[in-house]
Amino acid sequence: MKAVVIASLALLSSLSAMAAETDQQALVKQGEYLARAGDCVACHTAKGGKPFAGGLPMETPIGTIFSTNITPDPSGIGAYSFDDFDKAVRHGIAKNGSTLYPAMPYPSYARVNQADMQALYAYFMNGVEPVAQANKDSDIPWPMSMRWPLAMWRWAFAPAVADFTPVAGQDPVVSRGAYLVEGLGHCGACHTPRALTMQEKALSASDSSAFLAGSAPLEGWIAKNLRGDHKDGLGSWDEAQLVQFLKTGRSDRSAVFGGMSDVIEHSMQYMSEDDLTAIARYLKSLPAVNPADKPHQYDPAVADALWNGDDSKRGAAVYIDNCAACHRTDGNGYTRVFPALAGNPVLQSDDPTSLIHIVLKGGTLPATHTAPSTFTMPAFDWRLSDQEVADVVNFIRTSWGNKGGDVTEKDVKALRE
């Protein structure tokens, strides 16, 4: 009898251990998904380097910052307790007590729920390969290199850490989207304008209409307005188009470019259909910045002129020679291959940086597991002069009903340099 009892206890202990191991594996898997949602790999992986080993240079207005090693090696975060990890991610405080540069978007992460933090910690400690790689010192001149003023910045501008709380009565799908966009997704880090003191002007939709209203130039690109404006926002997109774009990097009339390509490639394509729908529905709930904004009205005048051989409009000849084969003389492009230019909100923003940049340097539409084809727009900086680039950019921004502002040769020269 005693032997039977001992055997039963041993079996129960074994089953309990198996259940605990299963729970841990599930937590690690959840953490992996959340790390994808937060696109942690994009910043914490240098080109050609090991995942999460850091070393990626990030240009900021005060100098170059190198991302840190966040693998579970002793040179990374291997000695971090959960409390250390939580303080770094949600509070912006390193293990040694110093304040992290807000290139680490802890003002957004402050609203990540603690349960998700536990899953992230489980993943980084148990699901990531340890890499022995020392962190690089930032290349920031004195006195900006001093860390103690950052504590004052954090005190002044970083929000109090608190689990995300849905708005009472809000559609739960919209609430989930708000949690992802305002928290782990940290979309505002790029898509919200910043003050002179470098903090985001708003951290949530409840703060002000500046939230997700578009950025100043960042590494040669403009992070577009994600609010309901038709001219330069998402007013002309429906929910299904947004989900398709976030999942594949392309929609019927648009294609991803710049830094957003990394987000699609490393993060969004791996997210569930439910979460992508939540993000899209939340974004579509944001009203326009400009209440007088009106939908794009296609104007066929330029398309008719080009069809009839009239390229007298300035920039038209450059467009015909370099752009029309892919984007067509009517500006409508080819569905999910070459994006439409007519009515494209990226091309009608007040700042033409993105359009000038892509004409000069080109771009590649990355492959995803549901859209495996890759398409590349060639660079034209070797072929077109500054004036020719200005002419064709102006042509695109003022044709087919587009309402973009004027671009000068000087604008192109500054970005080329």
Side-chain angles (χ1 to χ4, degrees):
M1 185 70 178
K2 183 177 181 182
V4 173
V5 171
I6 292 173
S8 298
L9 290 174
L11 178 60
L12 288 173
S13 178
S14 177
L15 290 174
S16 178
M18 289 173 62
E21 183 178 352
T22 300
D23 289 345
Q24 179 68 9
Q25 289 173 348
L27 195 63
V28 169
K29 194 68 179 175
Q30 180 192 357
E32 180 181 19
Y33 179 83
L34 294 169
R36 289 280 195 187
D39 200 16
C40 306
V41 73
C43 287
H44 287 277
T45 306
K47 188 174 181 180
K50 292 278 191 178
F52 303 115
L56 181 74
M58 294 179 283
E59 301 301 326
T60 76
I62 62 172
T64 303
I65 296 172
F66 294 92
S67 62
T68 55
N69 182 347
I70 56 171
T71 73
D73 185 82
S75 62
I77 60 171
Y80 275 49
S81 65
F82 172 75
D83 189 53
D84 294 331
F85 182 79
D86 185 70
K87 282 183 177 178
V89 176
R90 295 203 295 176
H91 298 252
I93 301 173
K95 185 176 174 63
N96 64 7
S98 64
T99 296
L100 301 175
Y101 287 109
M104 167 65 176
Y106 53 83
S108 294
Y109 292 163
R111 55 178 43 79
V112 176
N113 294 336
Q114 189 172 46
D116 283 347
M117 289 298 303
Q118 293 280 3
L120 283 165
Y121 181 71
Y123 170 62
F124 280 107
M125 290 302 173
N126 301 287
V128 172
E129 177 190 355
V131 179
Q133 179 169 296
N135 292 318
K136 295 183 178 180
D137 291 331
S138 299
D139 184 16
I140 298 176
W142 188 88
M144 299 302 293
S145 59
M146 293 191 299
R147 290 285 184 136
W148 66 265
L150 285 172
M152 299 173 62
W153 186 96
R154 176 168 50 82
W155 176 81
F157 302 121
V161 173
D163 283 10
F164 176 85
T165 303
V167 175
Q170 189 176 54
D171 175 356
V173 176
V174 173
S175 294
R176 174 65 178 173
Y179 175 64
L180 292 167
V181 169
E182 297 175 8
L184 268 180
H186 62 282
C187 304
C190 290
H191 290 274
T192 297
R194 292 179 180 265
L196 289 175
T197 43
M198 296 311 297
Q199 81 276 15
E200 296 161 43
K201 290 185 176 181
L203 291 170
S204 70
S206 61
D207 289 345
S208 79
S209 61
F211 184 62
L212 302 183
S215 74
L218 184 68
E219 297 182 344
W221 302 102
I222 296 291
K224 74 181 300 299
N225 178 358
L226 299 182
R227 300 183 69 89
D229 302 83
H230 288 89
K231 180 184 177 185
D232 63 354
L234 297 177
S236 61
W237 295 59
D238 63 31
E239 184 179 297
Q241 289 172 328
L242 267 175
V243 171
Q244 182 187 65
F245 179 82
L246 295 174
K247 188 175 184 178
T248 67
R250 60 206 81 188
S251 69
D252 289 351
R253 296 185 58 80
S254 191
V256 73
F257 63 88
M260 189 65 189
S261 297
D262 290 335
V263 178
I264 299 294
E265 184 176 4
H266 299 300
S267 174
M268 293 291 197
Q269 69 162 315
Y270 297 99
M271 296 183 71
S272 69
E273 196 81 12
D274 285 346
D275 276 349
L276 292 178
T277 298
I279 289 171
R281 191 169 301 177
Y282 168 70
L283 292 177
K284 288 298 294 178
S285 75
L286 302 178
V289 176
N290 177 12
D293 175 72
K294 295 180 179 179
H296 171 261
Q297 294 292 319
Y298 185 83
D299 183 347
V302 167
D304 292 343
L306 296 181
W307 178 258
N308 292 306
D310 179 5
D311 62 358
S312 59
K313 182 176 178 179
R314 187 159 191 168
V318 180
Y319 181 84
I320 290 291
D321 289 345
N322 300 279
C323 314
C326 295
H327 298 286
R328 297 172 38 178
T329 54
D330 62 5
N332 284 320
Y334 292 93
T335 301
R336 302 186 199 177
V337 179
F338 304 120
L341 304 181
N344 191 320
V346 170
L347 311 181
Q348 301 184 84
S349 61
D350 292 337
D351 193 317
T353 295
S354 289
L355 181 54
I356 297 172
H357 191 160
I358 204 165
V359 171
L360 289 174
K361 299 300 181 184
T364 296
L365 178 62
T368 64
H369 61 271
T370 54
S373 300
T374 296
F375 301 99
T376 298
M377 174 175 163
F380 289 94
D381 55 354
W382 64 275
R383 177 170 176 170
L384 301 179
S385 68
D386 292 341
Q387 187 60 62
E388 288 172 322
V389 172
D391 289 345
V392 76
V393 167
N394 281 326
F395 174 82
I396 292 168
R397 280 165 60 85
T398 59
S399 297
W400 315 296
N402 290 348
K403 304 292 184 183
D406 190 46
V407 176
T408 67
E409 179 183 12
K410 185 178 178 182
D411 295 330
V412 177
K413 182 179 180 181
L415 192 55
R416 188 194 293 265
E417 292 175 351

